Amino acid sequence: MTPTEKRIYLIRHGIAADRADYERDADRPLTEEGFRKTRQIARRLEQLGLHFDRLLTSPLTRARQTAEILQEQGLSDTLEEYPHLKPAGNFQQWLHWYRDWQPSAETHLALVGHEPDLGHWAEQLVFGDIGDRLAIKKAGIVGLILPRTGSPVGKSVLFWLTPPKLLL
Amino acid sequence: MTPTEKRIYLIRHGIAADRADYERDADRPLTEEGFRKTRQIARRLEQLGLHFDRLLTSPLTRARQTAEILQEQGLSDTLEEYPHLKPAGNFQQWLHWYRDWQPSAETHLALVGHEPDLGHWAEQLVFGDIGDRLAIKKAGIVGLILPRTGSPVGKSVLFWLTPPKLLL
């Protein structure tokens, strides 16, 4: 937990409205409970001293709203939509993005997205393959330490995974 | 997170005295800070509503003291020393113990022990092999959901992993 590590926080969107109530899945917003709990999580993360150098979000409404709450709480100065954080987004494309970005040694990056994608991305970073072995609840968080150089696939270390109910 | 799942909590002992100050590694106690932080963790776990049906600990002093703090906080009615939770303990023997125990569907088991063993046990339960891919701090916790039947090796799901500083 030295301050010079590259860390990634994978954050699942909060509780969203039912699919039946929206024509387009992408339009489903957070529910009232989703807003409330996600705000609680954001406040808690801020209290824990977290701050992100970049905050990328899936463009879908429920993820975008989750990321906006994180930004409003001061966890990140910036907020960027990133298309491959959509459901069934392309992990390899994100790896290219990450490689091209060339973050400095001390970097905290947050990604807001969806299940099962976030869990699969985390599994690929940590173990190099996918096994549905991580349980990520809505507004749940996974924290990874990425290697300083080279591909992070199968080379990252899991230092945090928490459901909201065990964080609040 | 239904209440009828088998859950295992792997808990690393708190901060212990320096090796240089004790002839036998097994005798090293928690430091004052170790006692204080472990008590904070125990209180927090109790606040989060956790309760263990069985609490097994490595017989080494620093682990035993950690387990006693958990018991004193009311997290478990019982406390048992279990030899294979010692450093370099035998995971296969524990699997036999677990199989012979035949816990009911709704069971919360806590194991207090050491690194790197706890991380290796967790990795074997979740991924079926060892890769040093989990970072477990002192007084850190790993939570796994085990399958209802059959061997848990490579079949368990990670639902929680937290260092003390992200829990308190």
Side-chain angles (χ1 to χ4, degrees):
Chain A
M1 297 261 256
T2 69
T4 56
E5 291 166 329
K6 294 182 191 176
R7 291 182 174 232
I8 292 193
Y9 298 85
L10 304 160
I11 303 170
R12 188 177 175 193
H13 65 79
I15 299 166
D18 281 347
R19 282 172 197 271
D21 297 338
Y22 285 81
E23 199 168 322
R24 282 166 29 100
D25 174 66
D27 294 339
R28 290 194 289 134
L30 299 184
T31 62
E32 196 173 322
E33 184 188 9
F35 272 108
R36 185 172 49 79
K37 284 199 177 176
T38 305
R39 286 199 187 100
Q40 286 179 323
I41 288 289
R43 277 196 293 272
R44 179 85 170 113
L45 297 183
E46 197 274 335
Q47 285 167 1
L48 288 168
L50 266 62
H51 191 268
F52 311 128
D53 302 296
R54 288 183 83 168
L55 170 59
L56 270 54
T57 183
S58 153
L60 272 59
T61 299
R62 58 192 183 277
R64 170 105 206 170
Q65 289 175 334
T66 299
E68 284 169 354
I69 289 169
L70 297 173
Q71 189 187 20
E72 283 162 15
Q73 190 59 39
L75 286 158
S76 177
D77 299 330
T78 64
L79 170 60
E80 303 161 69
E81 285 191 4
Y82 182 73
H84 292 292
L85 282 167
K86 280 195 294 197
N90 190 317
F91 177 62
Q92 295 301 323
Q93 287 297 320
W94 178 79
L95 283 175
H96 289 307
W97 176 90
Y98 179 76
R99 187 195 58 199
D100 292 345
W101 176 32
Q102 294 186 315
S104 64
E106 188 172 343
T107 302
H108 290 202
L109 171 67
L111 308 177
V112 177
H114 307 265
E115 273 288 271
D117 305 273
L118 287 184
H120 291 172
W121 288 29
E123 285 187 304
Q124 287 177 87
L125 289 166
V126 175
F127 297 94
D129 59 15
I130 293 171
D132 288 316
R133 295 287 186 264
L134 305 179
I136 309 176
K137 295 279 175 181
K138 291 191 179 75
I141 302 165
V142 178
L144 305 180
I145 300 168
L146 269 62
R148 285 156 200 268
T149 58
S151 169
V153 176
K155 301 290 183 191
S156 303
V157 171
L158 185 74
F159 73 91
W160 200 24
L161 187 160
T162 190
K165 70 179 291 186
L166 293 176
L167 184 62
L168 295 173
Chain B
M1 296 259 259
T2 69
T4 56
E5 290 165 330
K6 294 182 191 176
R7 291 182 173 231
I8 291 193
Y9 298 85
L10 304 160
I11 303 169
R12 189 178 175 193
H13 65 79
I15 299 166
D18 281 347
R19 282 172 197 270
D21 297 339
Y22 285 81
E23 200 168 320
R24 282 166 29 101
D25 173 67
D27 294 339
R28 290 194 289 134
L30 299 184
T31 62
E32 197 173 322
E33 184 189 8
F35 273 108
R36 185 171 48 77
K37 284 200 177 175
T38 305
R39 285 199 188 101
Q40 287 179 322
I41 288 289
R43 277 195 293 271
R44 179 85 169 113
L45 297 183
E46 196 273 337
Q47 286 165 2
L48 288 169
L50 266 63
H51 190 269
F52 311 128
D53 301 296
R54 288 182 82 168
L55 171 58
L56 269 54
T57 182
S58 153
L60 271 58
T61 299
R62 57 193 183 277
R64 169 107 206 170
Q65 289 176 333
T66 298
E68 285 168 353
I69 289 168
L70 297 172
Q71 189 186 21
E72 283 162 14
Q73 191 59 40
L75 287 159
S76 176
D77 300 330
T78 64
L79 170 59
E80 303 160 70
E81 285 191 5
Y82 182 73
H84 293 293
L85 282 167
K86 280 195 293 197
N90 190 316
F91 177 62
Q92 295 302 323
Q93 287 296 321
W94 179 80
L95 283 175
H96 289 308
W97 176 91
Y98 180 77
R99 188 196 58 198
D100 292 345
W101 175 33
Q102 294 187 315
S104 64
E106 187 173 343
T107 303
H108 289 203
L109 171 68
L111 308 176
V112 177
H114 307 265
E115 273 288 271
D117 305 273
L118 287 184
H120 290 172
W121 287 30
E123 285 186 304
Q124 288 177 86
L125 289 168
V126 174
F127 298 95
D129 59 14
I130 293 171
D132 288 316
R133 295 287 185 264
L134 305 179
I136 309 177
K137 295 280 175 182
K138 290 191 179 75
I141 301 165
V142 178
L144 306 180
I145 300 169
L146 270 61
R148 284 157 201 268
T149 58
S151 169
V153 176
K155 302 289 183 190
S156 304
V157 170
L158 185 74
F159 73 91
W160 200 24
L161 188 159
T162 190
K165 70 179 290 188
L166 294 175
L167 184 62
L168 295 174

